[in-house]
Amino acid sequence: MPPSVIAVLAQLPDTFWMPPSASSYSGDVDRVFYLILWICALMFALVAALMTIFVVRYRRREGKAPPPAPSFGTALEITWTVIPTLVVIVIFYFGFRTFLDMATPPPNAYDIQVTAFKWGWAFGYPNGHVDNRLHVPLDRPVRLVLRSEDVIHSLYVPAFRVKKDVVPGRYNTIWFQATKAGEFDLFCTEYCGTKHSDMATVVVVQEPREFERWLDDAGNWAEKLPPAEAGRKLWEIRGCKQCHTLDGSSRIGPSFLAIWGKERPLSDGSTVLVDENYVRESILDPSTRIAAGYENVMPTYRGRLKDSEITALIEFIKSLAPAPAEAGTPTGGGEDGQR
């Protein structure tokens, strides 16, 4: 199929087969998709049409003996061997060329560190800022360095036609160059546990100057807020909210509501006072003292949170209002529970 025909097929409305195209190589991915789609459609139509014709023409008739079986046809055997082989070669050529483009980031790509965890994303920038939304500059190659804190996840941005598994114990990389400003969905496409469907965020594509302003401002946001407000934002963007609620209900870990200054029962039968030292230890060395009723599955945040950020989280926990007396103290944590 000539490239011009493939290009025409690729101009079909984005919303019919594919989401809107928004990266530099998404058009190449779409062309390979449409090439395979229409080859399959044409082959299906050909086979279905011939089958219908043969069923009607060569059906068994009353009083008429069936014709003898046809003899071996060398020309026919060569034809239906050569044509599929050529089709496969064409598909391989376009597919492999696109794969090489997607697998080879430009040398000037902007690196962003991506950490996947149950159940969220953390995007780390060169200035040290970490966000739960992926901000990238428009029309600049971006390379994502992927790692997982726990199980296998998979990063997928439909509008960019990029998808890559995030595997614990190793680094994977993927790159793209966004060609449209705006917000685009980002999903995890590898089932990773009970909250897998909540593991979604967005890619925010900004003009280069706007991106630089955002990055400079975002890198110092914690210093511009009161400690308790900064702690609440950290609870939202660093994955705490996935496991620790603020309303007294129990998830993977205990709720933060009204725990400050109280005795916490531990899994070994002892108790501990919830104070600055216990919260800090729980963040940096979460396996040291496990809350009763929860499992030891919380990852360490050592090296991922600054001392000032830990202090902000402590102030946020202090600021939470006491639970109503009738609500009682939540217990349990399920099979995936943590401290």
Side-chain angles (χ1 to χ4, degrees):
M1 189 176 294
S4 58
V5 176
I6 300 172
V8 171
L9 295 176
Q11 298 306 312
L12 292 176
D14 289 330
T15 53
F16 187 74
W17 294 110
M18 294 282 198
S21 171
S23 74
S24 57
Y25 56 62
S26 57
D28 295 332
V29 175
D30 289 355
R31 280 187 281 274
V32 174
F33 169 79
Y34 285 118
L35 172 63
I36 297 173
L37 172 67
W38 289 107
I39 286 176
C40 291
L42 292 173
M43 293 301 296
F44 171 79
L46 177 62
V47 170
L50 290 175
M51 181 179 67
T52 303
I53 293 171
F54 292 161
V55 166
V56 173
R57 182 172 180 179
Y58 299 108
R59 71 187 186 279
R60 183 175 181 177
R61 295 180 175 87
E62 200 65 40
K64 186 174 182 180
S71 60
F72 178 82
T74 303
L76 180 61
E77 294 288 341
I78 293 175
T79 300
W80 66 29
T81 299
V82 171
I83 292 178
T85 301
L86 293 176
V87 170
V88 170
I89 290 174
V90 170
I91 293 174
F92 175 82
Y93 169 75
F94 286 107
F96 188 62
R97 189 178 67 176
T98 302
F99 167 78
L100 288 180
D101 290 341
M102 297 175 68
T104 310
N108 63 331
Y110 182 81
D111 276 6
I112 299 176
Q113 304 294 320
V114 181
T115 303
F117 53 87
K118 295 191 296 186
W119 287 276
W121 303 95
F123 304 99
Y125 294 84
N127 69 345
H129 176 64
V130 177
D131 207 291
N132 62 344
R133 306 206 307 174
L134 176 58
H135 290 252
V136 300
L138 180 69
D139 292 326
R140 179 176 178 181
V142 173
R143 187 177 77 119
L144 305 182
V145 182
L146 311 168
R147 70 182 185 90
S148 171
E149 286 285 344
D150 33 56
V151 298
I152 299 176
H153 301 277
S154 188
L155 183 145
Y156 177 44
V157 185
F160 297 168
R161 312 295 191 263
V162 295
K163 179 180 179 296
K164 195 76 168 184
D165 284 352
V166 189
V167 183
R170 61 170 294 178
Y171 290 99
N172 273 347
T173 60
I174 195 170
W175 81 277
F176 58 83
Q177 181 172 315
T179 57
K180 294 180 181 178
E183 294 187 3
F184 303 92
D185 293 326
L186 186 155
F187 302 105
C188 174
T189 57
E190 183 77 29
Y191 181 71
C192 53
T194 56
K195 296 290 183 179
H196 163 71
S197 60
D198 293 340
M199 195 169 169
T201 184
V202 295
V203 183
V204 182
V205 182
Q206 300 168 294
E207 295 289 343
R209 289 185 179 179
E210 182 184 353
F211 171 77
E212 293 297 336
R213 286 195 297 268
W214 168 84
L215 186 60
D216 182 63
D217 186 63
N220 302 306
W221 66 266
E223 300 173 4
K224 302 174 183 178
L225 295 174
E229 290 184 27
R232 175 179 282 273
K233 187 170 182 180
L234 285 166
W235 171 80
E236 292 176 350
I237 69 175
R238 298 309 297 269
C240 307
K241 67 182 296 183
Q242 304 295 333
C243 303
H244 303 281
T245 70
L246 305 182
D247 60 5
S249 61
S250 180
R251 285 187 183 170
I252 308 307
S255 175
F256 284 167
L257 181 63
I259 63 172
W260 187 260
K262 294 185 178 180
E263 292 289 330
R264 166 72 66 186
L266 300 178
S267 58
D268 62 3
S270 63
T271 61
V272 63
L273 180 67
V274 179
D275 60 5
E276 289 87 350
N277 288 322
Y278 173 69
V279 173
R280 177 182 174 83
E281 180 186 66
S282 297
I283 293 171
L284 300 181
D285 298 297
S287 61
T288 303
R289 289 188 279 191
I290 312 301
Y294 298 89
E295 293 186 9
N296 178 23
V297 296
M298 177 174 170
T300 177
Y301 279 76
R302 185 178 297 277
R304 296 168 56 190
L305 287 178
K306 305 172 186 175
D307 284 344
S308 59
E309 292 174 325
I310 295 175
T311 300
L313 281 169
I314 291 173
E315 293 303 315
F316 170 55
I317 294 173
K318 284 183 183 179
S319 71
L320 297 176
E326 64 273 16
T329 302
T331 59
E335 61 181 6
D336 290 328
Q338 69 181 27
R339 65 182 302 124

